[in-house]
Structure formats: structure tokens, C-alpha cells
Amino acid sequence: MEIDDMTPAEERVWRAFPRGQDVDFRGTADEDAARGADWGPERTVRAAVVRALLLSAPREDGETAALRLAGARITGELLLQYADIDHAVRLSGCFFEDTPVLYAARLRQLNLRGSALPALSAETLRVDGVLRLSDCRFGGPVRLGGAQVSGALFLDGAAIDEPPAGQPALQLNHVTIGDGLSAPGLRTRGEVRLSGATVAGTIDLNGARLEAGAGAVALDAETLTVEGDARLREADVLGWIGLRGAHIAGRLDLSHARLANPGDAALRASSCTIGELWLRKGPRMEGILNLRRAQLDVLFLEPEVVPDEVLLNSLVYTSLTPHEPAERRLAMLERDGEGYVPHAYEQLTAAYRRIGDDPAARLVQLAKQRRRRATLPWYGRLWGHVQDATVGYGFRPLRAAGWLVSLLMAGSLVYALHHPAPLKPDEAPQFNPLFYTLDLLLPVISFGQEAAFAPTGGYQWLSYALVLMGWILATTVVTGITRTVSRQ
């Protein structure tokens, strides 16, 4: 392209490029690029001029060429697909009439900070440095699938409007980021796709608003790999978050976040591996919390955040914080959509035992047996009620002692007032109501009283009842002792 064919604005940009000088058309530093359609020819640059500049502009010895343009209205379609550009490119605060196309291009650095664009098509883009899209306004989808960014990707303060039906608002699937993804305050209307992405640093979505709508995907991060943290503090998410198969080495921080997807799962984190999962200080989750088969080192979960339905089958965690009474944690297990899940009770029991809270661990085990009882046939439920009432399934052994003492006192009193007749008066020992009642209650130990005396009428029926209660109590005590020993 000849310089004679350029407007004064384009000529100014062309002459500044070889020296890497700034060209700023803005009237003020905080000018809104979204109003760029009204800018006149004095700050209009054709996309064809920008393309020619980046691909074939002359160089100057001893100078580092770079495109540093601010506040320009760029007309026409900027086509840089497959281009190999060795210069830093900064088009900040610019207004693009058409969607830039950077498919499979390679750049050293790209900065579009504060610009307004209809969309961005940059699949498999390669950036050897930093890709900065901070404070950009996109009227349509941002497509960066398969991109490789050696440095950091910045999307802080960016806003992406609703894309066409069936397309994600922000496509970052299978991207590789050598540093972090910084997007605090990001606002999207539609799906954010991070499936298969690899981030060597931290993902920062603090204060983001991801609005996809009830039943839709707000953040698809299946098989995502993050070597640092994933932060969504104070995020507002309408739709569901998918983390199935993701690996987050550090912390997934959802503190103060609002997750809402009524009628469906709000957080789908099944089969993922996370260092720490923080769900705290926020409103109650609207939707289902799915943590099936997830593996966590630390689960920081406040009972107030737990939704009305959870899925916890095969969830494994090493530590559960903050420390709460067992009654508050059991309420969560009772909300499991799969009903009685034994593994969830065992995990909670183990968590309490690790911190030395044995009473809470026993209470969880007792609750487990009561939930299990509802799954048994009628005779199993009946026997369960007996075990519960007598010794609390072995977790409340003092109940058996109370029952035995009560029956011993009642039987001793009755038989003290009404001595049973001896079977052989000449050979019978002296009658002792206390030891006679003990003989009836204890099925193994014998004091020689039961075999020597024979009650009649209602007292005989009382003796039968004491023998039966003795067997029941002895069986339940042995069951409780066996369970206690096996727990050790």
C-alpha cells in the first residue's frame, strides 16, 4: 500500500509504526469506545491499512517497530488469519466496525484494552507474550478455542453480550495459558467454555457475573486443569457450573458467591480432583450440589450454603471445616437425592474421628443405622427398632444397663412379694428374689434359683417376659460390642 493513498489519520499511524510510537486519537483517557460509530474521518483508520502495516511496513534500523494505536475507529474487516506478526500490537480504546479475524495467527503480544468489537474470531491463536482484553465490550462471541498464550490472558472488566443461539459467549476450550487467566468483574450473557483448558497459574473470576439462564450452561470447565487456584469469590452465576473431571491443584474458592440454577444442578463437580473447595459466606445455593466421586483434600462447607438437594455418593475428603455439631452436618446427608448413601456417613464419621470428636462420630454412625433401617424389610425394621430403643445400635450402651436395672428392680419386687413355689421343697435353696430375677435375665450365668422354683399364673408369664428381654438385651449388647470393636 502506498502512503499517498492514505488519509491524514492513517498516514500518522503509518509513520509512527517503525519507531513504535504512540498514536492517540482520544479526547480524554476515559473515553467510551462503544460510541466510536460517531467518530469522524480525523480518527478513522481502515482495517486494510492496519493489515498492511503489520505484514509489510518498512522498518528503521535501530528502532523497534510496534503498533500502538488508541481511540481509533477501524473500518472494514481486519483479516490476519494465519499471519505471523513479530511486532507488539496495541489497539486500545478502539472501535471496530467488523469482527477481527485472527484465526491461527501468531503474535508477540496483543492488547485490545478498552476496545469495542462486534465479536472476536481467534481460534488457535498463538501469543508469545500477554493477551489483554481488559475492559473490552463485545457485542457477540469471543472465540479463542485452542489458543496458546505463553503469558497471561486478561479479561478483567470485559463484557460479552449474548451470542447467537447455540454458540458460547466466551470460547476458551482447550486453550493453553502459560501464566494465569485474570478476569475479575467479567460479565457474560451465555456460556463460558473452559473445557479441556490448561492454566499454569490461577484463574481469577472474582466478582464475575455469568448469566446464562436457568437450565443453561454458565461455565463449562470439564477436564479443566489449573495448577494454581480457581477463584470465584462474590461471583454471580445464573445457570450451572460443570467441573466434571477437572483438576484444580489449589483452591476452588466460591466464598460469597451466588450460584443459582433452580430445578437442576447448580454445581456439577463430579469425578474431579480439587485441593480445597470453599463454599462459605454466600446465600444458600439454588439448585443441586453434585459432588459425586469427587476427591478433595479440604472441604470448607458451611451448612447455611448447602442447598435442598445434594449428591454425595463416593465423595472423598480428608478434612471438613468449619467444625460443626454432628446434627448440623447430618441434615446435609438427609438431603441426598439418592436417598440412603452409606459412604457419605462413613466419610463424615472419619472426618470427626480425625479431629478427635468421637461423640460426634458415634452420633453419625447412629444416624446411619437409623437411615439404613428404613431400607430393610418389616422384620429387619422391627429388630432395628428394638436395637435402637435398647442400646442405640451399640452406640449408647448405657441404655442396656438402664433397662437391666429397671427389669431387675421390677422383677425382684414382684417376686419378693409373691415367692414362687419350689419344685423340690427338700432340695431347694433359700429363695432370693434378686438372684432369681438375675437368673431369668442373664441367659448364660446361673445362680441356681431359676431351676429350683416354678412360678404359676401371671408370675410365670412374667418370668417368660424377663427371659425374653434378657436374651434381647444380651444379643443387642453383644452386637454393640462387636460393632465397637470393628470400628477400632
Side-chain angles (χ1 to χ4, degrees), residues 353-391:
R353 285 187 180 144
R354 288 189 192 99
I355 61 175
D357 193 346
D358 289 332
R362 289 194 295 270
L363 186 60
V364 174
Q365 285 293 295
L366 177 58
K368 174 189 174 185
Q369 294 300 324
R370 288 172 173 169
R371 286 290 302 277
R372 176 179 175 272
R373 184 171 66 207
T375 67
L376 301 176
W378 69 267
Y379 49 86
R381 294 196 300 272
L382 178 61
W383 179 241
H385 280 293
V386 172
Q387 286 189 297
D388 194 359
T390 52
V391 292

mmCIF file of all heavy atoms in Angstrom, residues 353-391:
data_model
loop_
_atom_site.group_PDB
_atom_site.id
_atom_site.type_symbol
_atom_site.label_atom_id
_atom_site.label_comp_id
_atom_site.label_asym_id
_atom_site.label_seq_id
_atom_site.Cartn_x
_atom_site.Cartn_y
_atom_site.Cartn_z
ATOM 1 N N ARG A 353 -13.551 -38.252 63.429
ATOM 2 C CA ARG A 353 -12.535 -39.012 64.168
ATOM 3 C C ARG A 353 -11.142 -38.429 63.974
ATOM 4 O O ARG A 353 -10.308 -38.481 64.884
ATOM 5 C CB ARG A 353 -12.565 -40.469 63.714
ATOM 6 C CG ARG A 353 -13.755 -41.230 64.285
ATOM 7 C CD ARG A 353 -13.679 -42.698 63.959
ATOM 8 N NE ARG A 353 -14.833 -43.393 64.521
ATOM 9 C CZ ARG A 353 -15.453 -44.403 63.934
ATOM 10 N NH1 ARG A 353 -15.014 -44.829 62.769
ATOM 11 N NH2 ARG A 353 -16.482 -44.976 64.494
ATOM 12 N N ARG A 354 -10.888 -37.850 62.803
ATOM 13 C CA ARG A 354 -9.564 -37.274 62.571
ATOM 14 C C ARG A 354 -9.283 -36.108 63.508
ATOM 15 O O ARG A 354 -8.129 -35.827 63.822
ATOM 16 C CB ARG A 354 -9.434 -36.810 61.120
ATOM 17 C CG ARG A 354 -9.320 -37.946 60.119
ATOM 18 C CD ARG A 354 -8.975 -37.425 58.728
ATOM 19 N NE ARG A 354 -9.132 -38.464 57.724
ATOM 20 C CZ ARG A 354 -10.185 -38.607 56.943
ATOM 21 N NH1 ARG A 354 -11.184 -37.740 57.032
ATOM 22 N NH2 ARG A 354 -10.245 -39.575 56.056
ATOM 23 N N ILE A 355 -10.323 -35.409 63.906
ATOM 24 C CA ILE A 355 -10.121 -34.277 64.817
ATOM 25 C C ILE A 355 -10.424 -34.655 66.252
ATOM 26 O O ILE A 355 -10.461 -33.794 67.141
ATOM 27 C CB ILE A 355 -10.982 -33.073 64.391
ATOM 28 C CG1 ILE A 355 -12.473 -33.414 64.423
ATOM 29 C CG2 ILE A 355 -10.581 -32.590 63.006
ATOM 30 C CD1 ILE A 355 -13.368 -32.227 64.132
ATOM 31 N N GLY A 356 -10.663 -35.959 66.517
ATOM 32 C CA GLY A 356 -10.834 -36.431 67.885
ATOM 33 C C GLY A 356 -12.213 -36.215 68.471
ATOM 34 O O GLY A 356 -12.386 -36.327 69.693
ATOM 35 N N ASP A 357 -13.223 -35.928 67.649
ATOM 36 C CA ASP A 357 -14.577 -35.734 68.160
ATOM 37 C C ASP A 357 -15.328 -37.056 68.066
ATOM 38 O O ASP A 357 -16.181 -37.261 67.205
ATOM 39 C CB ASP A 357 -15.287 -34.639 67.355
ATOM 40 C CG ASP A 357 -16.561 -34.159 68.023
ATOM 41 O OD1 ASP A 357 -17.028 -34.857 68.949
ATOM 42 O OD2 ASP A 357 -17.089 -33.105 67.620
ATOM 43 N N ASP A 358 -15.031 -37.976 68.999
ATOM 44 C CA ASP A 358 -15.656 -39.301 68.975
ATOM 45 C C ASP A 358 -17.159 -39.260 69.242
ATOM 46 O O ASP A 358 -17.909 -40.031 68.629
ATOM 47 C CB ASP A 358 -14.967 -40.222 69.979
ATOM 48 C CG ASP A 358 -13.577 -40.614 69.517
ATOM 49 O OD1 ASP A 358 -13.347 -40.641 68.290
ATOM 50 O OD2 ASP A 358 -12.712 -40.877 70.373
ATOM 51 N N PRO A 359 -17.656 -38.403 70.155
ATOM 52 C CA PRO A 359 -19.120 -38.359 70.340
ATOM 53 C C PRO A 359 -19.865 -38.003 69.054
ATOM 54 O O PRO A 359 -20.910 -38.586 68.741
ATOM 55 C CB PRO A 359 -19.297 -37.278 71.414
ATOM 56 C CG PRO A 359 -18.021 -37.296 72.184
ATOM 57 C CD PRO A 359 -16.969 -37.579 71.169
ATOM 58 N N ALA A 360 -19.328 -37.060 68.288
ATOM 59 C CA ALA A 360 -19.970 -36.702 67.020
ATOM 60 C C ALA A 360 -19.904 -37.861 66.032
ATOM 61 O O ALA A 360 -20.861 -38.128 65.298
ATOM 62 C CB ALA A 360 -19.314 -35.459 66.432
ATOM 63 N N ALA A 361 -18.762 -38.566 66.018
ATOM 64 C CA ALA A 361 -18.624 -39.713 65.120
ATOM 65 C C ALA A 361 -19.646 -40.796 65.466
ATOM 66 O O ALA A 361 -20.253 -41.399 64.575
ATOM 67 C CB ALA A 361 -17.203 -40.269 65.200
ATOM 68 N N ARG A 362 -19.867 -41.045 66.762
ATOM 69 C CA ARG A 362 -20.856 -42.050 67.171
ATOM 70 C C ARG A 362 -22.270 -41.614 66.793
ATOM 71 O O ARG A 362 -23.090 -42.429 66.379
ATOM 72 C CB ARG A 362 -20.759 -42.295 68.677
ATOM 73 C CG ARG A 362 -19.512 -43.046 69.101
ATOM 74 C CD ARG A 362 -19.634 -43.554 70.519
ATOM 75 N NE ARG A 362 -19.723 -42.457 71.480
ATOM 76 C CZ ARG A 362 -18.671 -41.890 72.064
ATOM 77 N NH1 ARG A 362 -17.450 -42.316 71.773
ATOM 78 N NH2 ARG A 362 -18.832 -40.909 72.929
ATOM 79 N N LEU A 363 -22.535 -40.335 66.910
ATOM 80 C CA LEU A 363 -23.860 -39.840 66.538
ATOM 81 C C LEU A 363 -24.107 -40.013 65.044
ATOM 82 O O LEU A 363 -25.227 -40.355 64.625
ATOM 83 C CB LEU A 363 -23.980 -38.367 66.937
ATOM 84 C CG LEU A 363 -25.360 -37.730 66.757
ATOM 85 C CD1 LEU A 363 -26.397 -38.470 67.585
ATOM 86 C CD2 LEU A 363 -25.321 -36.257 67.154
ATOM 87 N N VAL A 364 -23.093 -39.815 64.231
ATOM 88 C CA VAL A 364 -23.237 -40.019 62.788
ATOM 89 C C VAL A 364 -23.502 -41.488 62.480
ATOM 90 O O VAL A 364 -24.351 -41.820 61.646
ATOM 91 C CB VAL A 364 -21.981 -39.522 62.047
ATOM 92 C CG1 VAL A 364 -22.062 -39.869 60.560
ATOM 93 C CG2 VAL A 364 -21.809 -38.022 62.206
ATOM 94 N N GLN A 365 -22.787 -42.374 63.164
ATOM 95 C CA GLN A 365 -22.999 -43.800 62.942
ATOM 96 C C GLN A 365 -24.390 -44.244 63.377
ATOM 97 O O GLN A 365 -25.016 -45.094 62.726
ATOM 98 C CB GLN A 365 -21.931 -44.607 63.680
ATOM 99 C CG GLN A 365 -20.567 -44.594 63.023
ATOM 100 C CD GLN A 365 -20.575 -45.316 61.695
ATOM 101 O OE1 GLN A 365 -20.796 -46.525 61.622
ATOM 102 N NE2 GLN A 365 -20.329 -44.573 60.616
ATOM 103 N N LEU A 366 -24.879 -43.674 64.472
ATOM 104 C CA LEU A 366 -26.233 -43.978 64.906
ATOM 105 C C LEU A 366 -27.254 -43.509 63.866
ATOM 106 O O LEU A 366 -28.206 -44.226 63.527
ATOM 107 C CB LEU A 366 -26.507 -43.304 66.254
ATOM 108 C CG LEU A 366 -27.920 -43.457 66.812
ATOM 109 C CD1 LEU A 366 -28.276 -44.926 66.989
ATOM 110 C CD2 LEU A 366 -28.053 -42.713 68.142
ATOM 111 N N ALA A 367 -27.041 -42.302 63.325
ATOM 112 C CA ALA A 367 -27.933 -41.801 62.281
ATOM 113 C C ALA A 367 -27.872 -42.687 61.034
ATOM 114 O O ALA A 367 -28.881 -42.894 60.351
ATOM 115 C CB ALA A 367 -27.556 -40.363 61.932
ATOM 116 N N LYS A 368 -26.689 -43.205 60.739
ATOM 117 C CA LYS A 368 -26.547 -44.103 59.590
ATOM 118 C C LYS A 368 -27.407 -45.349 59.766
ATOM 119 O O LYS A 368 -28.116 -45.772 58.836
ATOM 120 C CB LYS A 368 -25.079 -44.492 59.425
ATOM 121 C CG LYS A 368 -24.846 -45.546 58.346
ATOM 122 C CD LYS A 368 -23.425 -46.058 58.373
ATOM 123 C CE LYS A 368 -23.270 -47.217 57.387
ATOM 124 N NZ LYS A 368 -21.922 -47.827 57.476
ATOM 125 N N GLN A 369 -27.367 -45.954 60.967
ATOM 126 C CA GLN A 369 -28.150 -47.159 61.210
ATOM 127 C C GLN A 369 -29.644 -46.868 61.127
ATOM 128 O O GLN A 369 -30.423 -47.687 60.626
ATOM 129 C CB GLN A 369 -27.798 -47.746 62.588
ATOM 130 C CG GLN A 369 -26.379 -48.264 62.692
ATOM 131 C CD GLN A 369 -26.093 -49.371 61.704
ATOM 132 O OE1 GLN A 369 -26.953 -50.203 61.409
ATOM 133 N NE2 GLN A 369 -24.869 -49.397 61.174
ATOM 134 N N ARG A 370 -30.058 -45.706 61.585
ATOM 135 C CA ARG A 370 -31.476 -45.360 61.512
ATOM 136 C C ARG A 370 -31.926 -45.157 60.067
ATOM 137 O O ARG A 370 -33.045 -45.525 59.709
ATOM 138 C CB ARG A 370 -31.731 -44.108 62.346
ATOM 139 C CG ARG A 370 -31.647 -44.380 63.848
ATOM 140 C CD ARG A 370 -31.709 -43.106 64.654
ATOM 141 N NE ARG A 370 -31.782 -43.395 66.090
ATOM 142 C CZ ARG A 370 -31.641 -42.480 67.053
ATOM 143 N NH1 ARG A 370 -31.419 -41.203 66.719
ATOM 144 N NH2 ARG A 370 -31.736 -42.827 68.311
ATOM 145 N N ARG A 371 -31.059 -44.518 59.236
ATOM 146 C CA ARG A 371 -31.400 -44.372 57.813
ATOM 147 C C ARG A 371 -31.434 -45.742 57.126
ATOM 148 O O ARG A 371 -32.292 -45.994 56.272
ATOM 149 C CB ARG A 371 -30.380 -43.479 57.110
ATOM 150 C CG ARG A 371 -30.478 -42.007 57.410
ATOM 151 C CD ARG A 371 -31.720 -41.353 56.822
ATOM 152 N NE ARG A 371 -31.848 -41.482 55.389
ATOM 153 C CZ ARG A 371 -31.242 -40.694 54.494
ATOM 154 N NH1 ARG A 371 -30.451 -39.703 54.908
ATOM 155 N NH2 ARG A 371 -31.422 -40.866 53.208
ATOM 156 N N ARG A 372 -30.501 -46.596 57.490
ATOM 157 C CA ARG A 372 -30.446 -47.931 56.885
ATOM 158 C C ARG A 372 -31.695 -48.740 57.241
ATOM 159 O O ARG A 372 -32.193 -49.524 56.413
ATOM 160 C CB ARG A 372 -29.198 -48.657 57.364
ATOM 161 C CG ARG A 372 -29.082 -50.100 56.884
ATOM 162 C CD ARG A 372 -27.801 -50.745 57.377
ATOM 163 N NE ARG A 372 -27.753 -52.156 57.026
ATOM 164 C CZ ARG A 372 -28.258 -53.130 57.767
ATOM 165 N NH1 ARG A 372 -28.850 -52.831 58.926
ATOM 166 N NH2 ARG A 372 -28.174 -54.387 57.373
ATOM 167 N N ARG A 373 -32.215 -48.528 58.444
ATOM 168 C CA ARG A 373 -33.379 -49.301 58.905
ATOM 169 C C ARG A 373 -34.565 -49.127 57.951
ATOM 170 O O ARG A 373 -35.324 -50.064 57.714
ATOM 171 C CB ARG A 373 -33.748 -48.825 60.310
ATOM 172 C CG ARG A 373 -34.888 -49.600 60.957
ATOM 173 C CD ARG A 373 -35.009 -49.176 62.400
ATOM 174 N NE ARG A 373 -35.430 -47.787 62.541
ATOM 175 C CZ ARG A 373 -35.125 -47.020 63.591
ATOM 176 N NH1 ARG A 373 -34.374 -47.497 64.574
ATOM 177 N NH2 ARG A 373 -35.564 -45.785 63.665
ATOM 178 N N ALA A 374 -34.710 -47.930 57.401
ATOM 179 C CA ALA A 374 -35.840 -47.673 56.505
ATOM 180 C C ALA A 374 -35.747 -48.467 55.208
ATOM 181 O O ALA A 374 -36.748 -48.608 54.497
ATOM 182 C CB ALA A 374 -35.931 -46.183 56.199
ATOM 183 N N THR A 375 -34.563 -49.003 54.875
ATOM 184 C CA THR A 375 -34.391 -49.768 53.634
ATOM 185 C C THR A 375 -34.602 -51.262 53.841
ATOM 186 O O THR A 375 -34.553 -52.021 52.869
ATOM 187 C CB THR A 375 -32.975 -49.538 53.065
ATOM 188 O OG1 THR A 375 -31.999 -50.118 53.960
ATOM 189 C CG2 THR A 375 -32.678 -48.049 52.920
ATOM 190 N N LEU A 376 -34.835 -51.704 55.073
ATOM 191 C CA LEU A 376 -34.949 -53.124 55.391
ATOM 192 C C LEU A 376 -36.396 -53.601 55.296
ATOM 193 O O LEU A 376 -37.333 -52.801 55.360
ATOM 194 C CB LEU A 376 -34.410 -53.376 56.807
ATOM 195 C CG LEU A 376 -32.949 -52.988 57.071
ATOM 196 C CD1 LEU A 376 -32.603 -53.194 58.531
ATOM 197 C CD2 LEU A 376 -32.022 -53.783 56.172
ATOM 198 N N PRO A 377 -36.606 -54.933 55.177
ATOM 199 C CA PRO A 377 -37.976 -55.474 55.248
ATOM 200 C C PRO A 377 -38.553 -55.288 56.653
ATOM 201 O O PRO A 377 -37.833 -54.919 57.580
ATOM 202 C CB PRO A 377 -37.784 -56.948 54.894
ATOM 203 C CG PRO A 377 -36.336 -57.242 55.148
ATOM 204 C CD PRO A 377 -35.605 -55.971 54.876
ATOM 205 N N TRP A 378 -39.813 -55.595 56.821
ATOM 206 C CA TRP A 378 -40.504 -55.253 58.066
ATOM 207 C C TRP A 378 -39.853 -55.883 59.286
ATOM 208 O O TRP A 378 -39.743 -55.252 60.347
ATOM 209 C CB TRP A 378 -41.978 -55.670 57.971
ATOM 210 C CG TRP A 378 -42.194 -57.168 57.956
ATOM 211 C CD1 TRP A 378 -42.302 -57.971 56.867
ATOM 212 C CD2 TRP A 378 -42.318 -58.016 59.099
ATOM 213 N NE1 TRP A 378 -42.482 -59.280 57.234
ATOM 214 C CE2 TRP A 378 -42.504 -59.347 58.612
ATOM 215 C CE3 TRP A 378 -42.302 -57.809 60.474
ATOM 216 C CZ2 TRP A 378 -42.670 -60.434 59.459
ATOM 217 C CZ3 TRP A 378 -42.461 -58.891 61.327
ATOM 218 C CH2 TRP A 378 -42.642 -60.195 60.819
ATOM 219 N N TYR A 379 -39.419 -57.144 59.161
ATOM 220 C CA TYR A 379 -38.819 -57.801 60.324
ATOM 221 C C TYR A 379 -37.460 -57.185 60.660
ATOM 222 O O TYR A 379 -37.078 -57.086 61.825
ATOM 223 C CB TYR A 379 -38.684 -59.306 60.090
ATOM 224 C CG TYR A 379 -38.044 -59.679 58.768
ATOM 225 C CD1 TYR A 379 -36.655 -59.751 58.624
ATOM 226 C CD2 TYR A 379 -38.835 -59.970 57.666
ATOM 227 C CE1 TYR A 379 -36.078 -60.099 57.413
ATOM 228 C CE2 TYR A 379 -38.263 -60.318 56.449
ATOM 229 C CZ TYR A 379 -36.887 -60.382 56.343
ATOM 230 O OH TYR A 379 -36.316 -60.705 55.138
ATOM 231 N N GLY A 380 -36.734 -56.725 59.612
ATOM 232 C CA GLY A 380 -35.475 -56.043 59.870
ATOM 233 C C GLY A 380 -35.694 -54.693 60.533
ATOM 234 O O GLY A 380 -34.938 -54.292 61.428
ATOM 235 N N ARG A 381 -36.749 -53.996 60.102
ATOM 236 C CA ARG A 381 -37.074 -52.712 60.732
ATOM 237 C C ARG A 381 -37.495 -52.912 62.180
ATOM 238 O O ARG A 381 -37.122 -52.120 63.061
ATOM 239 C CB ARG A 381 -38.177 -52.007 59.943
ATOM 240 C CG ARG A 381 -37.766 -51.577 58.540
ATOM 241 C CD ARG A 381 -38.738 -50.569 57.955
ATOM 242 N NE ARG A 381 -40.089 -51.106 57.853
ATOM 243 C CZ ARG A 381 -40.564 -51.781 56.812
ATOM 244 N NH1 ARG A 381 -39.756 -52.029 55.774
ATOM 245 N NH2 ARG A 381 -41.807 -52.212 56.786
ATOM 246 N N LEU A 382 -38.258 -53.983 62.427
ATOM 247 C CA LEU A 382 -38.692 -54.266 63.799
ATOM 248 C C LEU A 382 -37.499 -54.533 64.708
ATOM 249 O O LEU A 382 -37.393 -53.980 65.815
ATOM 250 C CB LEU A 382 -39.650 -55.464 63.797
ATOM 251 C CG LEU A 382 -40.160 -55.916 65.172
ATOM 252 C CD1 LEU A 382 -40.942 -54.798 65.848
ATOM 253 C CD2 LEU A 382 -41.020 -57.181 65.041
ATOM 254 N N TRP A 383 -36.591 -55.373 64.230
ATOM 255 C CA TRP A 383 -35.399 -55.669 65.016
ATOM 256 C C TRP A 383 -34.535 -54.413 65.189
ATOM 257 O O TRP A 383 -33.940 -54.183 66.232
ATOM 258 C CB TRP A 383 -34.606 -56.787 64.360
ATOM 259 C CG TRP A 383 -33.336 -57.154 65.080
ATOM 260 C CD1 TRP A 383 -32.069 -57.084 64.589
ATOM 261 C CD2 TRP A 383 -33.217 -57.636 66.417
ATOM 262 N NE1 TRP A 383 -31.160 -57.485 65.530
ATOM 263 C CE2 TRP A 383 -31.838 -57.838 66.675
ATOM 264 C CE3 TRP A 383 -34.141 -57.920 67.413
ATOM 265 C CZ2 TRP A 383 -31.367 -58.309 67.887
ATOM 266 C CZ3 TRP A 383 -33.666 -58.386 68.635
ATOM 267 C CH2 TRP A 383 -32.301 -58.578 68.862
ATOM 268 N N GLY A 384 -34.518 -53.580 64.186
ATOM 269 C CA GLY A 384 -33.777 -52.333 64.291
ATOM 270 C C GLY A 384 -34.351 -51.413 65.352
ATOM 271 O O GLY A 384 -33.606 -50.768 66.096
ATOM 272 N N HIS A 385 -35.650 -51.342 65.413
ATOM 273 C CA HIS A 385 -36.285 -50.516 66.453
ATOM 274 C C HIS A 385 -35.932 -51.040 67.840
ATOM 275 O O HIS A 385 -35.712 -50.250 68.770
ATOM 276 C CB HIS A 385 -37.799 -50.499 66.267
ATOM 277 C CG HIS A 385 -38.262 -49.557 65.202
ATOM 278 N ND1 HIS A 385 -38.138 -48.190 65.311
ATOM 279 C CD2 HIS A 385 -38.860 -49.790 63.991
ATOM 280 C CE1 HIS A 385 -38.645 -47.606 64.224
ATOM 281 N NE2 HIS A 385 -39.074 -48.560 63.403
ATOM 282 N N VAL A 386 -35.880 -52.361 67.979
ATOM 283 C CA VAL A 386 -35.504 -52.944 69.271
ATOM 284 C C VAL A 386 -34.073 -52.566 69.630
ATOM 285 O O VAL A 386 -33.778 -52.141 70.760
ATOM 286 C CB VAL A 386 -35.681 -54.473 69.235
ATOM 287 C CG1 VAL A 386 -35.113 -55.101 70.493
ATOM 288 C CG2 VAL A 386 -37.153 -54.835 69.067
ATOM 289 N N GLN A 387 -33.166 -52.713 68.670
ATOM 290 C CA GLN A 387 -31.772 -52.353 68.938
ATOM 291 C C GLN A 387 -31.623 -50.867 69.259
ATOM 292 O O GLN A 387 -30.842 -50.482 70.136
ATOM 293 C CB GLN A 387 -30.907 -52.696 67.723
ATOM 294 C CG GLN A 387 -30.642 -54.170 67.542
ATOM 295 C CD GLN A 387 -29.617 -54.403 66.454
ATOM 296 O OE1 GLN A 387 -29.840 -54.086 65.295
ATOM 297 N NE2 GLN A 387 -28.484 -54.932 66.832
ATOM 298 N N ASP A 388 -32.384 -50.044 68.545
ATOM 299 C CA ASP A 388 -32.303 -48.606 68.782
ATOM 300 C C ASP A 388 -32.814 -48.262 70.169
ATOM 301 O O ASP A 388 -32.193 -47.488 70.916
ATOM 302 C CB ASP A 388 -33.112 -47.879 67.706
ATOM 303 C CG ASP A 388 -32.817 -46.381 67.666
ATOM 304 O OD1 ASP A 388 -32.009 -45.904 68.486
ATOM 305 O OD2 ASP A 388 -33.383 -45.691 66.808
ATOM 306 N N ALA A 389 -33.961 -48.830 70.546
ATOM 307 C CA ALA A 389 -34.554 -48.490 71.834
ATOM 308 C C ALA A 389 -33.735 -49.013 73.006
ATOM 309 O O ALA A 389 -33.687 -48.393 74.070
ATOM 310 C CB ALA A 389 -35.976 -49.043 71.910
ATOM 311 N N THR A 390 -33.091 -50.157 72.808
ATOM 312 C CA THR A 390 -32.376 -50.771 73.931
ATOM 313 C C THR A 390 -30.962 -50.214 74.112
ATOM 314 O O THR A 390 -30.607 -49.755 75.198
ATOM 315 C CB THR A 390 -32.314 -52.292 73.732
ATOM 316 O OG1 THR A 390 -31.789 -52.589 72.429
ATOM 317 C CG2 THR A 390 -33.696 -52.906 73.872
ATOM 318 N N VAL A 391 -30.157 -50.250 73.073
ATOM 319 C CA VAL A 391 -28.754 -49.824 73.217
ATOM 320 C C VAL A 391 -28.326 -48.829 72.152
ATOM 321 O O VAL A 391 -27.134 -48.585 71.966
ATOM 322 C CB VAL A 391 -27.792 -51.041 73.198
ATOM 323 C CG1 VAL A 391 -27.973 -51.884 74.432
ATOM 324 C CG2 VAL A 391 -27.993 -51.858 71.934
#
